[in-house]
Amino acid sequence: MRFASVLRPVSLFICLAISLLLVSCDQFSSGPAVSESGELNAAIDREVPASLSEPPGEAAQDFVTTNPKKLAEALRTVGNENEVNVALRSKGAPSIAPNVLKEMGDGSVVAGVPKGTGNGDRRTEPGFASSGREAFQGLLTSLEARGVEPYRADPESDLMSLRIPDDKLVSVLATLLNHPHVDYVSANRRHRITFGPETEGSDRQSSVAPKAGPNGSNTTDVKHSFHNVTQAWNYTRGSGAKVGILDSGFAYDQNANQYHQDGKLLNAATGIKKMGFVDDYDGVENCSGGNKQPYGNCVPWDDQGHGTSMAGIVGANDNNRGAVGIMPEGLTVSMKIAQNCGITDGCSFGGNWSDDTYFLEDDDFYWALEWANQDSDIGVLSMSFVAESHGPDPHAELLDAYNQHDILLLSSTGNPSDPDNFDAPQSLSTVIGVGGLNADGSSYGKEDNEEVSALSDGRTMDAYCPSSSDFCEPFGPTYSCCTSASTAIVAGIAGLVRAHEPSLSAQEVKDRLISTARGGRVDALAAVTNDQPLSVGINGPQTLTSSGTYTWTANVSGEDGAVSYTWEYKPAGSSTWTQVGTQSSYSRTLYPYNTSDFRLRLTVTSGDESATREALINVNI
């Protein structure tokens, strides 16, 4: 600190002597040596701590350092205009451990952390540190002294998003990595995503032709019957529920100045609300709400067509136009976080991506999640995509969404055509992986991380996207496809459950969806009414060691009225089953000469359901 004070009166001499420094001369006169918040204002060329991992190559991956110069080099390899996300912490709280930060970055983290004095002062649990308004204001004051303002910030959030001028990059990073209210600094990275087969082709027009005109009379379709949705409507049509669709936006006709007519916002609690979190179309300063506005006031228009379809599956209006959504009396929030790099001129930041590549940016993803976390009415968030990775900031915010804000999180598990390494965000423990089913009930798509399944089909609204440089116009209806549709269907059903029983926690809704599923498929009626499927077990001895009479008893649950029983017996080595009983229990006498193992099979029927269980009985006389 004293060294920095001595430098100020002789700054011109010093500038000549160290002309090769990365920091400009005015950095030596930018405030007191130690600010009131405790910020270290050290000379940038002093000895700095060693990096915590090797310097990055051409494509920076999994790089964490305490060295501001090395972090600056890494950020320049990433590109993206030196945009960083700065996680806050309360003064004295431990900063995050580098290995934990890497895990949160899902293989793509480029970040800096404050220097620690040992392993004991590092936080080893993933997620954000404790912070508050004091941390926010302390860091904001220090940044303003450096002439840098966040382009996205909120005193109630755990993060600031900054764009650092290149001539101040090293000095600002040094300020951040020495600041008592900084947990970590991460590059605002871009991550490729895929929506499934619909994204293939350069014109981005839906690959499935509409099956009916926009004013068709068929207001329900196969997804409703496959999942018993219309029966669930006898209990609720979603009133009071709020489901967010994190996707590519919602179709807008710029000539007619209107959104898709099957997705109107009917009132504050019904229909489809449109929000945009992508600041790269016209610059965040031009998003409605002005500079530093983080919450949903950017362009919400669809540039792929996918987001329009997913929002329609959940919340399309009940207006005899196309097909009605699964929860037409609830609120569906279309939250645009995905973008086409051909429109935003961001393809070069991804390594010369093609102009029909879609991606998520960490700040857009984070701020959408943060809006949902601060909006206490959001009960479900649906992510009908798979990504190659995500940054630590969305990871931490997804943890907060589920653990602290009780939001049910759903994500597609992917389709056969998706790359094997695209497994985010459904690989997170707090996110339910949704698999697909064909109309015959067989599995469709990948089964990794799959916890529930739904039909990979369904009629919904569509959008026509004429080229990779245009937004999409309302179109359709059409038939959606694949695990994207499956995820949106489950999101709509989860919305019905939360509408019918708003006191249920996200964990309880998850358990309800899983436990009431029929043959692997989510059942809307059963989930809403908590009608558990018929199941049966066999209670009784599994190993017989002496002659005598033994009894086995049916253990039945989920019955709907009277239960019928069928017991069958099959000796070891035989392929033939023989019926031996029709009561709730079955007894069999074993003689000394009976030395062969055998199998018992019990089938029970109640209402329109049946269940079967087999047991191997070992005989050791």
Side-chain angles (χ1 to χ4, degrees):
M1 264 55 78
R2 294 181 183 276
F3 176 63
S5 299
V6 171
L7 284 177
R8 291 190 191 94
V10 291
S11 59
L12 291 176
F13 171 78
I14 294 296
C15 286
L16 292 172
I18 56 174
S19 60
L20 295 179
L21 282 177
L22 294 175
V23 61
S24 60
C25 300
D26 63 357
Q27 298 302 326
F28 296 107
S29 58
S30 57
V34 182
S35 71
E36 292 181 358
S37 65
E39 172 192 356
L40 298 176
N41 188 18
I44 304 305
D45 63 338
R46 67 177 171 84
E47 193 70 27
V48 292
S51 66
L52 302 178
S53 59
E54 291 301 315
E58 292 183 1
Q61 297 287 337
D62 262 358
F63 174 74
V64 180
T65 184
T66 60
N67 187 319
K69 285 185 177 180
K70 291 184 177 181
L71 180 55
E73 294 170 6
L75 289 174
R76 289 176 176 128
T77 68
V78 171
N80 211 11
E81 302 177 305
N82 299 333
E83 289 184 358
V84 296
N85 294 314
V86 183
L88 305 176
R89 63 182 168 120
S90 299
K91 195 172 184 178
S95 62
I96 196 162
N99 63 312
V100 177
L101 188 60
K102 287 184 179 182
E103 292 173 3
M104 291 168 59
D106 198 33
S108 66
V109 66
V110 172
V113 294
K115 183 183 178 182
T117 58
N119 292 331
D121 61 356
R122 296 288 190 186
R123 198 173 71 257
T124 57
E125 291 295 322
F128 289 118
S130 61
S131 64
R133 285 181 173 266
E134 180 184 358
F136 176 87
Q137 191 57 52
L139 181 56
L140 186 64
T141 300
S142 298
L143 289 171
E144 289 174 346
R146 289 287 184 188
V148 175
E149 286 191 70
Y151 64 86
R152 275 177 163 170
D154 183 337
E156 303 299 325
S157 72
D158 299 298
L159 203 76
M160 289 184 185
S161 297
L162 313 177
R163 187 179 298 113
I164 307 174
D166 201 64
D167 62 344
K168 295 183 178 181
L169 183 58
V170 177
S171 63
V172 171
L173 291 175
T175 296
L176 293 172
L177 295 183
N178 285 308
H179 201 284
H181 289 308
V182 170
D183 188 27
Y184 66 83
V185 180
S186 65
N188 185 32
R189 304 208 68 170
R190 299 182 170 193
H191 310 272
R192 287 181 301 162
I193 64 171
T194 176
F195 299 113
E198 298 95 331
T199 63
E200 296 175 357
S202 60
D203 65 357
R204 299 181 299 125
Q205 182 177 352
S206 173
S207 59
V208 183
K211 300 294 181 66
N215 293 304
S217 60
N218 182 24
T219 59
T220 62
D221 72 318
V222 61
K223 65 179 178 289
H224 298 86
S225 59
F226 192 84
H227 292 285
N228 289 329
V229 171
T230 54
Q231 293 91 329
W233 285 348
N234 292 325
Y235 298 87
T236 178
R237 289 167 63 86
S239 178
K242 197 170 185 178
V243 174
I245 307 295
L246 293 160
D247 216 286
S248 62
F250 200 77
Y252 182 76
D253 188 334
Q254 297 183 62
N255 293 323
N257 193 31
Q258 64 182 20
Y259 287 98
H260 199 298
Q261 290 298 286
D262 203 14
K264 293 181 178 180
L265 180 62
L266 302 177
N267 55 59
T270 311
I272 299 180
K273 180 177 180 179
K274 297 85 179 175
M275 302 184 74
F277 294 87
V278 176
D279 60 41
D280 296 302
Y281 290 106
D282 54 358
V284 71
E285 293 83 0
N286 296 321
C287 294
S288 176
N291 194 28
K292 292 189 286 189
Q293 168 56 256
Y295 296 132
N297 293 319
C298 299
V299 174
W301 301 342
D302 200 344
D303 55 7
Q304 205 283 330
H306 189 271
T308 303
S309 296
M310 297 307 104
I313 287 175
V314 176
N317 302 151
D318 191 2
N319 56 3
N320 203 31
R321 179 188 295 270
V324 65
I326 287 175
M327 43 165 276
E329 293 182 5
L331 183 67
T332 301
V333 186
S334 171
M335 304 168 66
K336 180 176 179 57
I337 61 169
Q339 58 181 293
N340 172 11
C341 72
I343 295 181
T344 57
D345 297 324
C347 300
S348 60
F349 291 121
N352 296 317
W353 290 337
S354 63
D355 64 1
D356 60 348
T357 298
Y358 291 85
F359 65 91
L360 304 176
E361 205 165 44
D362 287 331
D363 63 340
D364 301 333
F365 198 178
Y366 167 83
W367 288 107
L369 293 169
E370 176 69 0
W371 174 82
N373 287 344
Q374 292 196 23
D375 187 311
S376 60
D377 293 332
I378 283 279
V380 182
L381 283 175
S382 179
M383 297 168 280
S384 289
F385 57 82
V386 288
E388 61 181 339
S389 58
H390 53 67
D393 323 303
H395 181 126
E397 198 67 6
L398 285 167
L399 294 178
D400 281 357
Y402 185 79
N403 294 324
Q404 297 184 25
H405 300 281
D406 199 37
I407 299 176
L408 188 73
L409 304 172
L410 302 164
S411 173
S412 164
T413 55
N415 304 302
S417 61
D418 294 332
D420 290 337
N421 63 327
F422 279 50
D423 62 355
Q426 43 89 8
S427 57
L428 295 181
S429 61
T430 54
V431 178
I432 301 176
V434 181
L437 294 172
N438 295 308
D440 61 2
S442 60
S443 178
Y444 171 86
K446 298 180 179 180
E447 298 183 6
D448 296 343
N449 303 308
E450 179 181 310
E451 296 182 76
V452 295
S453 299
L455 185 68
S456 56
D457 194 0
R459 191 160 172 255
T460 182
M461 66 185 75
D462 196 14
Y464 171 69
C465 315
S467 74
S468 58
S469 61
D470 295 307
F471 285 100
C472 307
E473 300 175 1
F475 189 67
T478 189
Y479 276 80
S480 61
C481 172
C482 313
T483 56
S484 290
S486 307
T487 305
I489 288 170
V490 175
I493 294 173
L496 294 178
V497 174
R498 302 214 85 160
H500 188 58
E501 294 191 60
S503 63
L504 292 181
S505 68
Q507 181 64 51
E508 289 171 327
V509 175
K510 173 183 176 180
D511 293 342
R512 179 78 66 84
L513 293 172
I514 295 173
S515 67
T516 60
R518 262 59 173 177
R521 78 177 71 176
V522 172
D523 187 299
L525 175 62
V528 166
T529 61
N530 196 23
D531 180 12
Q532 299 293 321
L534 182 67
S535 64
V536 63
I538 298 176
N539 293 339
Q542 302 296 304
T543 301
L544 312 182
T545 58
S546 62
S547 58
T549 299
Y550 296 89
T551 299
W552 294 268
T553 304
N555 181 16
V556 181
S557 63
E559 65 269 32
D560 184 14
V563 179
S564 63
Y565 306 86
T566 301
W567 292 88
E568 296 173 283
Y569 166 87
K570 183 175 73 172
S574 174
S575 60
T576 302
W577 288 95
T578 301
Q579 183 174 324
V580 292
T582 58
Q583 302 301 313
S584 60
S585 62
Y586 167 69
S587 298
R588 188 173 186 84
T589 301
L590 194 68
Y591 297 98
Y593 53 81
N594 296 136
T595 59
S596 298
D597 298 342
F598 61 90
R599 287 184 175 276
L600 292 177
R601 183 166 70 186
L602 171 62
T603 301
V604 297
T605 301
S606 179
D608 59 357
E609 292 185 278
S610 63
T612 300
R613 179 62 60 92
E614 289 186 22
L616 172 63
I617 310 300
N618 297 299
V619 179
N620 296 320
I621 296 180

